[in-house]
Amino acid sequence: MVSFKRANLGFSILFFLSLSVFIFSQAVPRPEEVLGFKVGDDYHLATYIQAVQYFKKLAENSDRIKLFNIGKTSMGQTMTYAVISSAENIANLEKFKQIAKRLSLVSGLPPEEAKKLSQEGKAIVYIDGGLHAGECAPAQHNIQLAYDLITASDPKTLRILHDVILVLVFANPDGMNLLAEWYHPNVGTPYEVSPMPWLYHKYAGHDNNRDSYIANLLETQHLTRIAIQEWYPVILYNHHQTAPFPARIWIPPNSEPTNPNVHPLLVRWQNMIGSAMGAAFDAEGKEGAISRIVFDTWYPGYVSQVVDSHNIISIMTETALYRYATPHFYTVRDFPKEYQDLTMSAFYPSPWKGGWWRLKDAVDYCITASKAVLDAASKYREELLYNKYIMARDVIERFKKEPPFAWIIPEKQRDPGTTALLLNRMILLGIDIYQSEETFFCDGITYPEGTYIIPMAQAFALFVKNVFEEQRYPDLRKYPDLWQGLVRSEKFEGTPFESYDMMGWTLPYQFGANVITSNSPLKVRMTRRQEIKPAAGEILGSPKAAYLIGHETNASFTATNRILKAGGRVLWAKKAFSFENKNFSEGTLLVPAQSVTHSFMEKLAKDLQLKISAASEMPKVETYTLKKPKLAIYQSWISSADEGWTRFILEQHELPFTNIYDADIRAGNLETNYDVIILPDTFSPESIIEGYAKGTMPPKYVGGTTLNGLRNLKLFADNGGTLIFMNGTSNLALEHFQVAARNVLKQAKREEFVCNGSLLRMEFDTSHPLAYGMPKEAATVFSDSCAFDIMPSYEAKKEPKSVAKYPTENLLMSGWIYGERLIQQKSSILDIPYGKGKIILLGFPVQFRAQPHGTFKILFNSIYYGPLSEK
Ligand SMILES: [Zn+2]
């Protein structure tokens, strides 16, 4: 490649690149030549397949773009992303990646060298579109943005291509296809703008943007690798399309509260880049860019926000959306009252005045926004790179001097497999984890060799702090003038302002893992681990009569499902018992030796890292016999991610199930096909009964279960079936099934009680099969959840049994709660006899977004509990 002296670099690069444009632009196809329509055309959405087809054409015809595959999506497509820059940078990607990595991780890099690398390096910018596939413009904008950058010959774009390496990603390929496949046949019919009646992802839907700090989904894992393991961008920009109406785009600065586990420089850059975007909009006469309302940075589960603790400046925007690619006309009279007089303000200086809004407008806004980010990255390239170094260096220095100096994770855990999963996800998220090679002493505790350690003197330490510590949500009422920009403090009545999403998420609590902070510097020999492997599984003793497996691990459920599938038998011990000088808890799994082969059990122990005790005679304890459950999960056409996450967890633990729909419930006779039906959490219990209104959707998707369908569900339980109501859906059972309980929060006003997305302590009755394997006390997610009062019942046999309750003291473990007195000592799980069957109310989300691994077993227990037989 040609090498340039710094002084004439600009001119030479321009000359060289203009020439290459001249040569190649003839061959680079415009999007419409491949797609058959222009990007943003009314009624047209490109699928992911078309987009990749187009990107391949670009890669064949231009040296400014290179494509990479990062793995499969949840539905099995190859996830392809593009890297776009000047031809010279594209030929040297490895070199610039390494510079970015060294500046990001710091390790031993002196400031002078960091300065030099910052001069030499390129600003790597990650931009994605299409994460929320229902928000159509961002994924379409990727196509146009790629074409614009590859074919441009203007000095500004050439400068950007010289300074910046763009990593351009389709964040949800499956969703992009699903949306186009739903929308196109409906165009021109009465259902043109009808909502899609299923999730735009195999499991997660909208929650694919709540997965980032734990990376359950394949797509999240891929995005994490791109951003945190491979490219080390200075900026990560995640596009969305739900602007606060009537604004046309929401851009940073963000709203409050601000997550405290980020370097201050990061917040400065977010504000600065957001303002640069705002200036770009008003310079182009694009009105309606708004900032500093609605979207805050408290919760780190988002694709954008998760990387802030990795010293990557995250930018999130929300462009305005009507529906899909259908245009819409607005007048000022459509606006909320407070926007109708078009008041100019510091964070909304050019109020939108109404008019047509088409997909093309939204795509153009996305393009302006992306180009403004790329322009800022180009102009401030060197500062951004050096600041990335400063942020990491400061974090490392800080935790050499102040606690927590490290997080210590004992190898011995209640559920070692689940703790290992948490640690492996932390490794994926860029965290260095070590294992001690010797016994050591810290803060009065002695730890054995083999203890896991996360030293905090590492570049991304703030991320560990962010997800491991207890969240203390700030009460923003105290100093409103400070954060709201008002001249004087206003008196804010009622409860503090909630965050846009969860207020507390502490992952070790959600995983039921024991982790300890070290408040003094550690002195111990240790080795870095690339992967955490729990102690190997084994069978201890002589297996003449039975195999005994503890109920504490989530792997014990995978084991159960494999044994039942193989035709083996599984029993649950009704009580705790001692056997051959060992103590076993209630719920211990007993597998009669004659029902399985020894080699099968050995393989099970090895594959699932299970400690299995073998018994030479059957322990003398009463048992229940498990049955392979015929399980159905109700899927509403008013799709909900809770149903998707439930499927995800069941598949992960190999528990087979069937989906049932409104028509199945309306048809009845459910007891012939199923033993257990799960009714996942939904937007409202009424929506299950009513469904979509007639005329709003194609006929197949309207009408809900109807009241007649509810009667069929009652009949199902009456005839011996088990109904499991998840979280808020419990209200459906309380209101329609005449059970002797009520939810005290049903009528609670905001002034009395607020607690959304926090972790609360729960007390479990572990002698009840629904709570087998749980500790007496555990953290649970509270999110639009229930607190039950049991009402006196005229028939003792029908009285609900409480299996878990909110304690009197220290309810809050992480996040925020107001009005806790309302729920103290109330029940959160009810086991209700119903006819010959059962109704189970799980009043809190035991499987919320597949995150609280510590409470998954309540879901599995509920499924097996229904068809248990006494023996
Ligand atoms: Zn979105």
Side-chain angles (χ1 to χ4, degrees), residues 131-135 138 200 206 208-210 238-242 295 316-318 500:
L131 180 75
H132 287 162
E135 304 163 11
Y200 46 62
H206 206 72
N208 62 359
N209 200 25
R210 306 294 186 274
N238 175 235
H239 275 274
H240 290 262
Q241 202 187 356
T242 316
F295 302 103
M316 201 270 292
T317 61
E318 297 275 2
Y500 189 76

Side-chain angles (χ1 to χ4, degrees), residues 463-753:
F463 175 69
V464 184
K465 193 163 168 294
N466 207 347
V467 294
F468 271 36
E469 72 181 4
E470 290 174 6
Q471 279 72 51
R472 291 286 163 252
Y473 190 75
D475 186 345
L476 296 177
R477 286 171 306 180
K478 283 189 198 161
Y479 316 105
D481 53 328
L482 259 188
W483 57 268
Q484 221 205 17
L486 301 177
V487 176
R488 272 181 296 279
S489 291
E490 291 295 312
K491 195 164 176 284
F492 284 83
E493 300 288 351
T495 58
F497 301 89
E498 292 165 77
S499 177
Y500 189 76
D501 207 86
M502 289 188 90
M503 292 147 110
W505 48 83
T506 314
L507 292 182
Y509 286 167
Q510 293 204 58
F511 275 67
N514 177 27
V515 308
I516 302 140
T517 52
S518 124
N519 295 314
S520 43
L522 278 187
K523 283 199 180 63
V524 53
R525 266 192 301 128
M526 53 188 187
T527 315
R528 189 168 157 208
R529 296 281 177 237
Q530 302 296 334
E531 192 194 345
I532 306 302
K533 292 191 181 115
E538 58 186 341
I539 299 180
L540 301 164
S542 149
K544 276 192 202 136
Y547 298 89
L548 312 183
I549 306 172
H551 206 120
E552 295 77 24
T553 68
N554 288 345
S556 74
F557 291 95
T558 313
T560 300
N561 297 327
R562 287 190 190 172
I563 296 166
L564 292 178
K565 189 181 173 197
R569 293 180 66 214
V570 180
L571 319 174
W572 282 353
K574 282 191 182 176
K575 296 214 160 62
F577 62 97
S578 294
F579 184 74
E580 290 172 355
N581 296 325
K582 271 194 276 182
N583 294 325
F584 294 88
S585 318
E586 52 261 277
T588 296
L589 282 66
L590 287 83
V591 181
Q594 76 273 16
S595 76
V596 286
T597 65
H598 189 63
S599 59
F600 175 84
M601 291 305 286
E602 273 182 322
K603 189 170 175 347
L604 202 68
K606 186 169 161 274
D607 292 350
L608 300 174
Q609 286 118 8
L610 280 174
K611 298 268 184 224
I612 300 179
S613 304
S616 54
E617 55 183 283
M618 204 61 177
K620 287 189 180 48
V621 59
E622 278 185 58
T623 56
Y624 293 110
T625 300
L626 268 66
K627 184 185 162 195
K628 202 155 93 182
K630 289 184 286 179
L631 171 64
I633 304 178
Y634 166 66
Q635 190 181 106
S636 164
W637 299 120
I638 304 177
S639 60
S640 102
D642 196 61
E643 184 271 334
W645 287 121
T646 308
R647 269 188 287 117
F648 177 80
I649 292 168
L650 295 179
E651 284 180 20
Q652 297 279 309
H653 294 83
E654 304 172 27
L655 212 167
F657 60 87
T658 310
N659 265 124
I660 55 171
Y661 304 89
D662 289 332
D664 301 303
I665 292 184
R666 289 195 300 259
N669 205 18
L670 297 158
E671 53 279 12
T672 358
N673 297 316
Y674 309 107
D675 309 312
V676 181
I677 297 175
I678 296 178
L679 295 142
D681 202 4
T682 49
F683 303 105
S684 76
E686 289 71 35
S687 71
I688 293 180
I689 306 171
E690 289 158 18
Y692 285 116
K694 238 186 185 159
T696 61
M697 290 284 273
K700 186 181 169 187
Y701 308 111
V702 302
T705 62
T706 70
L707 284 170
N708 197 41
L710 277 201
R711 273 192 288 278
N712 291 335
L713 288 173
K714 286 185 213 171
L715 271 175
F716 168 75
D718 252 337
N719 289 323
T722 298
L723 293 172
I724 303 173
F725 291 87
M726 309 287 277
N727 202 32
T729 302
S730 299
N731 289 310
L732 188 74
L734 296 176
E735 279 154 42
H736 294 275
F737 285 63
Q738 295 86 37
V739 296
R742 67 185 188 107
N743 172 15
V744 302
L745 295 178
K746 184 69 184 156
Q747 308 294 339
K749 295 192 184 75
R750 224 191 105 81
E751 301 83 68
E752 296 170 310
F753 184 85

Side-chain angles (χ1 to χ4, degrees), residues 681 726-731 743-746 753 755-758 760 762 780-788 806 823 827-828 842-846 848:
D681 202 4
M726 309 287 277
N727 202 32
T729 302
S730 299
N731 289 310
N743 172 15
V744 302
L745 295 178
K746 184 69 184 156
F753 184 85
C755 177
N756 247 336
S758 289
L760 301 187
M762 201 72 74
T780 57
V781 175
F782 190 101
S783 176
D784 289 321
S785 298
C786 306
F788 305 120
Y806 300 94
I823 62 172
S827 284
S828 65
L842 303 179
F844 63 92
V846 298
F848 189 69

